[in-house]
Amino acid sequence: MLQRLSTLLSRQFSPIPSQRIDSTFRKYAAAAGSMALVKDLREKSGAPISDVKSALVEANWDPDSAYQNLRKKGLAAASKKASRLAAEGLVGIAEAQHSAAMVEINSETDFAAKNERFRELVRSVAQTALQSDLPVKTGSNEISLDALAAQAMPSGASASDAVAEVAGGVRENIKLRRGFRIGSEAGLISSYVHTSPAPGLGRMAALVALETSTASLTEDQQSEAKEVGQKVAMHAVAMKPRYLSPDTVPAEALEAEKQVLRDQAKSAGSGGKPKPANIIEKIISGRINKFYEDSCLVRQKFVMADDQSVQDYVKTAGKQLGIDLRIGSFARVQVGEGLEKSDKDFAAEVAETLKSTV
């Protein structure tokens, strides 16, 4: 009986052949290696996991070839989406001691703007704009969009290619819309970002550069002057000035405003009699000052103390610090400003997509 039991137990727990162990181990090792490749390529490309797996299989599990194939597919997909409205997104800023840059990159949805690859794109393009020596337009401080799009990024790709690659990854139309750069010889650069999901990113932002003729500033003076600039940047975000000062208003914009005022003055005559030309010009002269107060940063009523203009606030603050201060330049951006947003709801969009596939 004991011998029979021993025989049964030996059969039950007989050693597994080494060949089977090696085969099983190789299968698990291969699977683990494949999963690691999928994970790495997914993080690098941002593409959906199904596309990553397909690309690796097509490339015989060569990650470099698979990545290039995903990039090509992403760029092709991005070009197909280029006609779709992109009015969401983020503003990104980058600062140095004597300069700062700001860019706006748009997406179709705010969901894409929460994607970390999208956020890193905005940061990188802002840093590229800061470090470039691309010229800016006098008065507006806007960088040429074509020049910025062609600028090389730290990765070696152009800014436009980097945008297209992220567009392919998030499967939305992504657009580099505009960029600005300002500078201050005194090193008095300030910024303000509103509704900021992460440092240097937001939906509204402003940059302000202050200048002074004082040869050298103490550390306290510089710090407090930058606080003054930050308050002006907050004001700019809130009050939406279009120009720095009356002398920076483009001639064509000023003439267009005068023509509107001229037409209004002509139509305001009583008894059907037109007003004399000299009277109309006097009316325009008075109303154009109101235009400056509404549109020019230095002439606007300071939002934190409306008994003085922004220009007067900066001057007074400078006197209190024992230095002269003035606003040298500024830039303001709000995501999607001026773009016509669609009111189509999500259900309607899905229904339209389904119809197009029938």
Side-chain angles (χ1 to χ4, degrees):
M1 181 64 133
L2 289 173
Q3 186 176 0
R4 186 180 175 189
L5 182 59
S6 176
T7 302
L8 288 172
L9 287 172
S10 64
R11 288 177 183 174
Q12 186 76 20
F13 298 103
S14 59
I16 300 171
S18 60
Q19 294 88 346
R20 283 181 59 190
I21 294 176
D22 290 344
S23 175
T24 303
F25 177 78
R26 283 194 294 269
K27 285 181 181 178
Y28 278 113
S34 298
M35 289 174 64
L37 284 175
V38 171
K39 179 177 179 293
D40 290 345
L41 188 55
R42 171 79 174 88
E43 291 176 353
K44 183 178 180 181
S45 67
I49 195 166
S50 59
D51 290 356
V52 170
K53 288 181 178 178
S54 298
L56 282 167
V57 171
E58 289 173 11
N60 197 24
W61 294 91
D62 179 349
D64 292 334
S65 297
Y67 177 66
Q68 292 305 320
N69 290 338
L70 283 172
R71 283 195 72 234
K72 290 175 184 176
K73 289 180 181 179
L75 294 175
S79 66
K80 291 178 182 178
K81 298 176 177 67
S83 61
R84 295 181 352 196
L85 177 66
E88 296 295 334
L90 287 171
V91 176
I93 63 171
E95 297 181 61
Q97 185 176 358
H98 293 279
S99 59
M102 177 167 56
V103 300
E104 177 188 0
I105 299 183
N106 299 124
S107 59
E108 293 178 56
T109 67
D110 61 354
F111 180 76
K114 296 173 183 177
N115 181 288
E116 187 53 38
R117 286 192 75 216
F118 181 87
R119 292 182 177 184
E120 185 55 37
L121 171 70
V122 178
R123 293 187 192 100
S124 296
V125 175
Q127 194 65 38
T128 297
L130 174 65
Q131 295 174 349
S132 74
D133 58 355
L134 299 174
V136 298
K137 296 178 184 176
T138 304
S140 70
N141 302 297
E142 187 168 3
I143 302 170
S144 163
L145 184 58
D146 290 341
L148 180 56
Q151 193 72 12
M153 302 273 285
S155 64
S158 68
S160 61
D161 283 348
V163 168
E165 188 171 340
V166 172
V170 301
R171 296 190 170 188
E172 285 197 15
N173 183 20
I174 305 295
K175 285 195 172 182
L176 171 57
R177 186 184 182 198
R178 49 186 170 169
F180 299 83
R181 193 176 67 249
I182 64 172
S184 167
E185 292 183 7
L188 299 178
I189 298 288
S190 301
S191 63
Y192 174 70
V193 182
H194 192 62
T195 56
S196 176
L201 301 175
R203 291 188 56 82
M204 291 182 281
L207 301 174
V208 171
L210 299 182
E211 298 292 356
T212 178
S213 59
T214 305
S216 61
L217 305 180
T218 66
E219 190 174 322
D220 287 344
Q221 286 175 326
Q222 191 159 35
S223 175
E224 292 185 40
K226 286 184 177 182
E227 287 185 19
V228 171
Q230 186 180 39
K231 289 179 180 179
V232 174
M234 292 174 70
H235 168 98
V237 167
M239 302 308 293
K240 305 179 182 180
R242 295 165 59 193
Y243 313 106
L244 174 62
S245 57
D247 59 333
T248 63
V249 179
E252 60 273 17
L254 183 59
E255 184 52 42
E257 184 65 23
K258 286 182 175 180
Q259 187 57 51
V260 170
L261 296 176
R262 192 173 289 115
D263 293 341
Q264 290 175 347
K266 286 179 180 177
S267 63
S270 58
K273 295 181 180 179
K275 290 187 176 70
N278 64 322
I279 299 297
I280 289 176
E281 291 306 313
K282 285 183 179 180
I283 293 173
I284 292 173
S285 178
R287 290 181 179 176
I288 207 68
N289 281 325
K290 181 65 168 62
F291 166 74
Y292 289 147
E293 290 175 3
D294 291 340
S295 305
C296 298
L297 176 61
V298 299
R299 296 279 292 271
Q300 286 182 330
K301 295 295 184 184
F302 186 43
V303 72
M304 298 180 191
D306 60 7
D307 59 339
Q308 58 183 335
S309 68
V310 174
Q311 180 174 251
D312 290 340
Y313 161 71
V314 172
K315 284 183 177 179
T316 301
K319 286 180 181 178
Q320 291 173 349
L321 296 176
I323 58 176
D324 68 293
L325 277 181
R326 64 186 182 282
I327 303 173
S329 58
F330 89 104
R332 177 193 181 277
V333 172
Q334 179 174 336
V335 168
E337 191 172 35
L339 297 175
E340 182 180 352
K341 295 187 180 181
S342 173
D343 292 328
K344 186 189 301 179
D345 62 29
F346 181 70
E349 187 174 338
V350 171
E352 185 176 317
T353 302
L354 291 173
K355 282 182 184 177
S356 66
T357 59
V358 175

